[in-house]
């Protein structure tokens, strides 16, 4: 493990340790926030815990991972990502890992000036599904040769992590909810009217409301704000719509102070990113 950690360090990646046999950070640590490229610190961690698994802190290297799972019987992320490819075209060649539970991690660099938040069940509006089995990871993730009770994270197609490709424009636009622009630029003509329209799916998602759990509600409001910002909606329109959804379609409405904080944070980040 320590030799692999040193290879990652030479590539400029930020690494943090995970409990042996798991994907869990050590108790008392700050998880991916502890990720570092400092060789002295990395040596100390893995000398103290030679069997520690390896976590990769993605943000400092401006990386993101498309996590495609098929854990649930009714949700096959592999089939859903194929549906996305049928509409936009497949991913460019990049570094890919197979996960212990037969999932796939696609690694991509973020283009300059682009910011991306973590997302659960990505492309749900595009696919017209609540659950897609596709997550976007932008913080921390286990990386090869991490081993759990289910198996090993391992590279596919003989590629190395230094061969990570830049995320294609259509992928960024689709993840930000700007599907209309992506259609114009990238859709084959015969595919442009396939399936539910983005606006309809998005409205369905708003009325359906957020999943249970306070953290989930805040994350959900954040994602919806980002989607509306991405398609160029007026700030007043976005804010008023968030209030309507919060009051009428949330099982347990959030406090206005939380709505305000999330809205201001999203607008600030969106403006800073130049979108």
């Amino acid at each position: 493990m320590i030799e692999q950690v040193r290879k990652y360090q030479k590539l400029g990646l930020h690494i943090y340790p995970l409990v042996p046999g798991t994907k869990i950070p050590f108790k008392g640590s700050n998880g991916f926030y502890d990720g570092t490229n400092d060789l002295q610190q990395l040596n100390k961690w893995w000398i103290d815990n030679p069997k520690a698994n390896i976590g990769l802190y993605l943000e400092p290297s401006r990386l993101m991972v498309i996590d495609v799972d098929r854990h649930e019987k009714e949700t096959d992320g592999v089939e859903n990502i194929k549906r996305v490819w049928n509409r936009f075209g497949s991913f460019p060649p990049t570094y890919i890992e197979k996960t212990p539970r037969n999932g796939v991690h696609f690694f991509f660099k973020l283009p300059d000036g682009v910011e991306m938040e973590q997302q659960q069940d990505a492309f749900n509006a595009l696919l017209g599904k609540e659950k897609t089995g596709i997550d976007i990871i932008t913080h921390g993730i286990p990386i090869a040769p991490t081993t759990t009770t289910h198996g090993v994270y391992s590279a596919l197609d003989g590629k190395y992590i230094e061969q990570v490709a830049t995320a294609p424009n259509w992928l960024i636009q689709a993840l930000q909810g700007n599907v209309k622009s992506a259609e114009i630029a990238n859709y084959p003509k015969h595919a442009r009217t396939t399936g539910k329209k983005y606006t309809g799916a998005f409205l369905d998602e708003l009325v359906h409301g957020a999943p249970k759990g306070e953290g989930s509600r805040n994350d959900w409001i954040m994602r919806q704000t980002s989607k509306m910002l991405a398609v160029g909606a007026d700030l007043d329109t976005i804010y008023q719509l968030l209030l309507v959804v919060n009051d009428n379609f949330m099982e347990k409405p959030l406090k206005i102070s939380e709505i305000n904080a999330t809205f201001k944070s999203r607008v600030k980040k969106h403006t800073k990113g130049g979108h």
Side-chain angles (χ1 to χ4, degrees):
M1 283 295 188
I2 196 169
E3 290 304 317
Q4 187 62 50
V5 166
R6 288 168 179 165
K7 288 179 182 178
Y8 288 143
Q9 188 274 336
K10 287 182 179 179
L11 293 173
L13 300 177
H14 287 60
I15 302 299
Y16 59 100
L18 303 170
V19 175
T22 77
K23 302 184 292 183
I24 303 170
F26 280 85
K27 185 176 181 181
S29 74
N30 295 305
F32 60 83
Y33 287 116
D34 285 340
T36 182
N37 187 250
D38 182 76
L39 183 58
Q40 184 176 354
Q41 179 62 66
L42 294 172
N43 281 334
K44 182 179 186 307
W45 278 335
W46 268 271
I47 288 171
D48 291 345
N49 296 280
K51 295 183 180 181
N53 277 329
I54 305 173
L56 172 63
Y57 186 16
L58 297 163
E59 190 171 354
S61 299
R62 291 191 51 75
L63 296 174
M64 72 172 181
V65 171
I66 313 296
D67 179 8
V68 180
D69 290 325
R70 38 188 167 191
H71 299 166
E72 301 179 23
K73 292 181 179 179
E74 298 180 357
T75 305
D76 189 333
V78 172
E79 288 304 314
N80 285 330
I81 201 66
K82 288 179 180 178
R83 291 181 63 197
V84 173
W85 291 341
N86 285 338
R87 299 185 70 174
F88 294 100
S90 59
F91 290 153
T94 191
Y95 178 68
I96 309 169
E97 287 190 356
K98 180 180 177 297
T99 73
R101 299 181 68 182
N102 206 28
V104 183
H105 286 170
F106 295 89
F107 288 70
F108 288 106
K109 295 176 185 176
L110 287 171
D112 292 341
V114 171
E115 299 295 332
M116 186 66 62
E117 295 293 333
Q118 292 209 157
Q119 299 180 29
Q120 287 186 321
D121 294 304
F123 306 110
N124 55 356
L126 179 69
L127 296 171
K129 293 185 174 185
E130 181 180 357
K131 293 185 177 295
T132 64
I134 306 169
D135 295 334
I136 310 304
I137 311 297
T138 60
H139 297 327
I141 198 163
I143 192 170
T146 287
T147 303
T148 72
T149 54
H150 296 286
V152 182
Y153 288 82
S154 56
L156 290 179
D157 298 335
K159 288 187 170 59
Y160 301 93
I161 195 165
E162 50 263 54
Q163 295 174 289
V164 173
T166 299
N169 184 55
W170 70 259
L171 176 59
I172 298 300
Q173 292 188 54
L175 290 175
Q176 291 178 336
N178 195 7
V179 179
K180 185 175 181 181
S181 295
E183 287 179 345
I184 294 172
N186 298 284
Y187 274 22
K189 291 183 179 180
H190 68 273
R192 293 184 181 178
T193 58
T194 301
K196 181 179 285 190
K197 298 293 186 181
Y198 171 75
T199 304
F202 177 61
L203 291 174
D204 289 345
E205 187 177 356
L206 287 179
V207 173
H208 186 270
K212 296 180 179 180
E214 187 162 344
S216 296
R217 286 182 291 143
N218 280 298
D219 290 344
W220 187 85
I221 287 291
M222 179 182 69
R223 291 199 303 273
Q224 308 317 314
T225 303
S226 295
K227 289 178 181 179
M228 288 186 276
L229 286 168
V231 296
D234 290 339
L235 297 185
D236 185 61
T237 299
I238 296 172
Y239 182 72
Q240 294 300 326
L241 190 53
L242 290 177
L243 294 181
V244 170
V245 171
N246 189 55
D247 290 342
N248 295 277
F249 303 120
M250 300 282 257
E251 184 175 359
K252 183 180 179 183
L254 289 166
K255 296 178 181 179
I256 296 298
S257 59
E258 294 181 72
I259 295 288
N260 290 342
T262 300
F263 178 72
K264 289 178 181 178
S265 173
R266 289 294 86 202
V267 170
K268 183 178 180 181
K269 190 159 190 176
H270 183 83
T271 304
K272 183 179 179 182
H275 300 301

